[in-house]
Amino acid sequence: MNNSPEEHTPDQKAALERLSVAQDNLVKSREAYEKAVEGLDAIKAYNETMKPLMAYYDNGWQADVTTTESIYERPEAAGEDEIWDMHGGQYELMRELLALSSQFFVRVPGEDSDEN
């Protein structure tokens, strides 16, 4: 039964409107998912690079900074404690991810509430 738009019932028109909105959200979700997968890969790489950096920071970085302080040109890693700032950024990023993911895992499909 392939009715023309003029022959659609009010229920059909309302359903088509909802499906159209869902279609728009589906397209946006696909794009966001691809970006999220790329972002997750970047976060994994970030964590892996931070492990040796923090191990060095905790075990020898300060001694190397002190030993080289009279040298004019040193690597950036010898400067203004950026390693610690990166670690703080990592902590904040993981905290935000945990907060977002916890919303997903405590939500029961079909029992959503708009009371939040």
Side-chain angles (χ1 to χ4, degrees), residues 11-111:
D11 286 345
Q12 289 173 326
K13 289 178 184 177
L16 285 172
E17 180 67 28
R18 290 188 297 272
L19 286 169
S20 178
V21 170
Q23 179 64 34
D24 291 344
N25 288 329
L26 178 61
V27 169
K28 291 175 188 174
S29 292
R30 282 182 190 140
E31 293 170 6
Y33 176 77
E34 289 176 19
K35 290 179 183 178
V37 169
E38 291 172 5
L40 182 58
D41 288 343
I43 290 168
K44 288 176 184 177
Y46 176 41
N47 282 337
E48 288 306 307
T49 60
M50 285 300 293
K51 287 175 185 177
L53 190 59
M54 286 308 297
Y56 174 57
Y57 185 84
D58 291 339
N59 299 293
W61 176 81
Q62 186 60 55
D64 287 350
V65 168
T66 302
T67 301
T68 60
E69 59 188 2
S70 64
I71 299 172
Y72 177 69
E73 290 187 33
R74 298 183 297 169
E76 274 184 79
E80 300 293 318
D81 224 0
E82 184 177 2
I83 296 170
W84 184 251
D85 292 342
M86 291 292 291
H87 178 62
Q90 181 187 28
Y91 173 82
E92 286 302 314
L93 178 64
M94 295 306 156
R95 190 180 63 74
E96 287 184 46
L97 284 172
L98 184 58
L100 283 172
S101 63
S102 69
Q103 293 173 14
F104 173 79
F105 286 110
V106 298
R107 192 180 127 260
V108 178
E111 294 184 13

